[in-house]
Amino acid sequence: MIKNIIFDVGMVLADFRYRDYMKELGFNSETVEFLATNMVETEEWNRLDEGMSVNSFSRFYQEKYPEYSEEIKLFFSDMRTIVKPYSYAGEWIKRYRESGFGVYILSNYSDELFDLHERTVFDFTNEASGIVVSGRVKLRKPNKEIYEYLLNTYMLKAEECVFIDDRKENIDSAMAVGMKGIVFDGYESAEAKIKLLLKCDK
């Protein structure tokens, strides 16, 4: 029986709006595309999610692309608006919590940035029963250890959990440790899938 619902953050509860953020900083279209493609959308970005400090990461890219040094410095100077919670996020979590479910957050995220966004823009984290952030625990999805960390920390049974994430590889790993999984492709679709799963689970 499903007793716990676990949510990813980026592109599930909040929009990771890095291109719009760069445009708001005044970057031209060429710079936006270059930094999006060669910095944000690379495997190296995972270093932040694994616990690398924002300052160290910024210096790494300033040295790698000195022609964009000033833009990179500005990019990392104040990242509050690089994410924006979806309008449904807080109410979605609250509704399940008030219905008696354990509601958890499991996200690949820089610990520094998660702390910043939790203080300034997230309107849903205080509704969660527990939170596991990759940068804090130095484990990252889709490695199975981070799912096991969540289960062990909050004494959850995998078969009583359903995980919602926008990446199939992360759902596959969750299911490999015994959870149910839903690949997020929009709020209404995900909500319908959760309700169907709960109905079939009775």
Side-chain angles (χ1 to χ4, degrees), residues 9-152:
V9 174
M11 311 314 293
V12 175
L13 298 176
D15 184 10
F16 183 35
R17 50 187 301 278
Y18 53 92
R19 278 188 165 84
D20 287 339
Y21 168 71
M22 286 191 276
K23 291 174 185 175
E24 290 164 2
L25 292 175
F27 297 176
N28 61 38
S29 58
E30 179 184 345
T31 300
V32 169
E33 190 58 35
F34 181 88
L35 293 180
T37 303
N38 294 283
M39 183 174 71
V40 182
E41 297 168 0
T42 66
E43 284 296 311
E44 289 172 328
W45 186 266
N46 294 331
R47 296 185 185 188
L48 279 175
D49 295 342
E50 293 167 352
M52 187 176 188
S53 74
V54 172
N55 283 340
S56 295
F57 194 74
S58 176
R59 288 197 303 272
F60 169 79
Y61 269 102
Q62 287 177 58
E63 292 171 3
K64 186 171 184 177
Y65 301 118
E67 67 273 29
Y68 290 100
S69 178
E70 290 305 311
E71 289 85 353
I72 292 168
K73 188 183 301 183
L74 181 59
F75 180 96
F76 288 104
S77 64
D78 182 0
M79 301 178 75
R80 284 175 292 179
T81 59
I82 198 171
V83 294
K84 183 179 181 180
Y86 292 125
S87 59
Y88 57 76
E91 180 58 33
W92 201 17
I93 290 180
K94 182 179 180 181
R95 186 167 69 250
Y96 279 108
R97 181 178 58 78
E98 291 182 345
S99 296
F101 292 92
V103 184
Y104 298 87
I105 289 171
L106 175 62
S107 184
N108 285 348
Y109 219 111
S110 157
D111 54 340
E112 288 179 67
L113 293 182
F114 193 90
D115 289 346
L116 172 66
H117 296 153
E118 192 170 27
R119 292 195 311 270
T120 58
V121 297
F122 287 163
D123 60 354
F124 52 80
T125 52
N126 62 331
E127 299 290 350
S129 310
I131 299 173
V132 172
V133 173
S134 65
R136 293 176 179 171
V137 301
K138 307 300 188 288
L139 299 168
R140 187 174 63 83
K141 297 176 295 183
N143 297 325
K144 70 174 185 177
E145 287 80 8
I146 195 167
Y147 304 91
E148 293 169 345
Y149 182 95
L150 172 77
L151 296 172
N152 292 334

